[in-house]
Amino acid sequence: DQQVKQNSPSLSVQEGRISILNCDYTNSMFDYFLWYKKYPAEGPTFLISISSIKDKNEDGRFTVFLNKSAKHLSLHIVPSQPGDSAVYFCAASANFGNEKLTFGTGTRLTIIP
Amino acid sequence: ETGVTQTPRHLVMGMTNKKSLKCEQHLGHNAMYWYKQSAKKPLELMFVYNFKEQTENNSVPSRFSPECPNSSHLFLHLHTLQPEDSALYLCASSQVGAGAPSGDTQYFGPGTRLTVL
């Protein structure tokens, strides 16, 4: 049973528009959420995180929103750039820790020039 | 070298071979991890080492044998693998426990693409 779900395997967005990637989780013990970005032939790299005491965290073009009641988080990228084309993984952990991360299956984002 | 490095980057082996994957982290972290990524599946945590002690083994078959000689190096010894073990194997490291920065994360290596024939 997948505890972290990314239901969209792929997403295409025009350059300059907003990209919205979604993630749902089922484990109510999760209190720390992360987004990773992965290019081909490279390992995942950390992008942004949010703890359950917040509902929004912003870092430049990237904003993560957390809706605890819906057990849903989303990553907004605006404006989208060609270099944002990658696979994005959502991950979650309990106890605000980074030791045991549970990952989703990823969403492949393609930015169309 | 910086960050987390993994060798080899690609490995093809037969089911009767014995091989090892190597991971090295240059970040001064105290925890290291092995993950498996198969096509269309989430990253699966295999093993966790915290201060060189194994703290997690996620029901991984014994044909995968980890070794952590020190906090900077992690190995995954492979023997009598099956074709379904073909996957991308990722190593990661992080700082955990008291003194770890809040909101810190795991840092990944580039992975070893393993093909078992």
Side-chain angles (χ1 to χ4, degrees):
Chain A
D1 179 40
Q2 268 185 261
Q3 298 184 64
V4 177
K5 298 177 186 177
Q6 294 177 257
N7 292 318
S8 298
S10 64
L11 175 68
S12 294
V13 174
Q14 206 78 33
E15 181 180 359
R17 307 291 288 266
I18 184 170
S19 296
I20 300 176
L21 296 101
N22 294 304
C23 178
D24 297 292
Y25 62 97
T26 58
N27 189 339
S28 56
M29 300 300 292
F30 288 150
D31 52 21
Y32 184 54
F33 305 89
L34 309 91
W35 284 95
Y36 283 83
K37 174 180 178 179
K38 185 180 185 301
Y39 292 119
E42 295 183 16
T45 55
F46 170 70
L47 195 55
I48 193 169
S49 64
I50 188 167
S51 73
S52 58
I53 60 175
K54 293 185 170 184
D55 53 20
K56 176 182 172 182
N57 188 25
E58 196 171 345
D59 183 2
R61 297 186 297 114
F62 303 91
T63 304
V64 56
F65 294 92
L66 176 61
N67 182 334
K68 289 186 289 292
S69 60
K71 293 192 175 69
H72 176 85
L73 64 154
S74 61
L75 174 68
H76 292 214
I77 306 172
V78 57
S80 300
Q81 299 175 354
D84 296 329
S85 295
V87 177
Y88 289 79
F89 292 98
C90 171
S93 72
N95 301 316
F96 299 104
N98 66 60
E99 193 169 351
K100 281 198 69 174
L101 298 181
T102 302
F103 283 83
T105 50
T107 296
R108 180 176 300 280
L109 175 65
T110 302
I111 305 302
I112 305 162
Chain B
E1 288 278 15
T2 58
V4 181
T5 58
Q6 289 185 244
T7 54
R9 295 294 306 275
H10 299 270
L11 179 62
V12 179
M13 59 188 288
M15 289 191 283
T16 57
N17 291 158
K18 287 186 181 181
K19 297 284 185 185
S20 296
L21 309 185
K22 179 183 175 183
C23 175
E24 186 172 358
Q25 60 97 358
H26 309 267
L27 300 168
H29 290 160
N30 58 9
M32 296 186 77
Y33 313 80
W34 279 116
Y35 287 89
K36 176 183 178 182
Q37 187 185 15
S38 305
K40 298 184 181 175
K41 292 175 102 175
L43 272 74
E44 300 171 54
L45 180 64
M46 300 174 73
F47 301 103
V48 179
Y49 276 83
N50 192 329
F51 290 100
K52 301 188 300 174
E53 299 297 321
Q54 188 180 126
T55 58
E56 187 89 17
N57 175 340
N58 265 359
S59 304
V60 181
S62 60
R63 56 187 185 268
F64 295 91
S65 173
E67 179 191 358
C68 187
N70 56 61
S71 57
S72 299
H73 293 85
L74 185 64
F75 295 90
L76 188 62
H77 303 300
L78 316 171
H79 62 99
T80 60
L81 294 192
Q82 305 297 312
E84 60 264 29
D85 296 322
S86 298
L88 180 67
Y89 289 84
L90 290 160
C91 172
S93 71
S94 73
Q95 187 68 18
V96 299
S102 62
D104 201 14
T105 182
Q106 291 182 17
Y107 295 81
F108 285 83
T112 295
R113 173 70 61 186
L114 174 67
T115 303
V116 181
L117 301 176

